[in-house]
Amino acid sequence: MTIALYPGSFDPVTFGHLDIATRAAAVFDEVVMGVFHTPQKNLLFTTEERVELIRKAVKNMPNIRVDYYEGMTVDFARRLGAKVIVRGLRMSPDFEREFEMALMNKKQAPEIEVMCMMASVQYQFLSSSLMKDAARYGGYIDDLVPSHVAEALRAKLAAPRKK
Ligand code: ADP
């Protein structure tokens, strides 16, 4: 049984992430979407919220499960027994960063392969951060994220931010 870990911040999950997860689930026996608990990013959603939003989105996909982790991605992959780390590659912004991260992961865990899947054409320019900016100013995001994520975004952005 080949388990693949698909790690990310997923703040929040978009159709671009779900496209990669679904395509990976057609290749591997099990895909674990691993929500990174403390990325060096200014997050909008808590870890529990990010996990819940993904769980709801993949509830009809039997071989995708969701969990969160702290520390190194390769250590989480080892704990899961995952042989593969899956990442998504968009046209311009991702390549150098993913290359660097893949080499570092390979150094830490030579037995784990990093496999990148090309983003589908309709999601090439979709990022959680840009989508959040659009949502913040009342922009149209309904074809970028599942409806429960759009609702969560509207609720979160309407509420005063906690310090
Ligand atoms: P991270 O902080 O780890 O980059 P993200 O949640 O931003 O986490 O992204 C997780 C993974 O999904 C990364 O490999 C990223 O390149 C990929 N990804 C992000 N947006 C898209 C998209 N629109 N299409 C395909 N892959 C994507």
Side-chain angles (χ1 to χ4, degrees):
M1 162 141 164
T2 309
I3 300 171
L5 168 62
Y6 178 28
S9 318
F10 305 115
D11 185 46
V13 69
T14 68
F15 282 138
H17 298 130
L18 293 169
D19 178 56
I20 297 290
T22 308
R23 286 161 54 200
V27 176
F28 301 106
D29 296 309
E30 182 173 51
V31 173
V32 179
M33 292 183 74
V35 175
F36 188 31
H37 180 46
T38 47
Q40 290 179 330
K41 280 185 176 180
N42 193 5
L43 294 172
L44 184 60
F45 290 95
T46 66
T47 302
E48 292 70 26
E49 287 169 335
R50 287 178 286 144
V51 166
E52 240 356 271
L53 290 172
I54 305 175
R55 283 215 174 113
K56 209 166 169 181
V58 300
K59 66 175 191 299
N60 295 326
M61 299 175 203
N63 66 334
I64 303 181
R65 67 185 174 89
V66 191
D67 207 343
Y68 75 91
Y69 69 101
E70 288 179 79
M72 280 207 297
T73 302
V74 288
D75 288 336
F76 182 50
R78 280 189 179 127
R79 286 203 296 281
L80 293 170
K83 288 199 186 109
V84 177
I85 292 174
V86 169
R87 297 282 289 173
L89 267 191
R90 285 159 296 180
M91 211 132 67
S92 53
D94 294 332
F95 180 75
E96 285 179 20
R97 188 166 155 265
E98 293 294 338
F99 208 129
E100 266 178 16
M101 267 195 295
L103 290 176
M104 181 55 82
N105 281 337
K106 197 73 183 157
K107 201 177 195 60
Q108 309 296 331
E111 78 282 11
I112 297 174
E113 285 301 334
V114 176
M115 295 193 179
C116 290
M117 300 181 69
M118 304 305 152
S120 294
V121 71
Q122 67 272 36
Y123 304 128
Q124 283 290 341
F125 298 101
L126 171 55
S127 68
S128 293
S129 52
L130 213 55
M131 190 272 304
K132 280 184 286 190
D133 282 347
R136 196 164 278 127
Y137 298 110
Y140 181 78
I141 52 162
D142 297 46
D143 55 1
L144 306 179
V145 292
S147 55
H148 68 277
V149 175
E151 266 167 44
L153 270 163
R154 285 185 196 112
K156 179 71 86 174
L157 293 167
R161 289 292 293 276
K162 283 190 201 136
K163 288 251 178 223

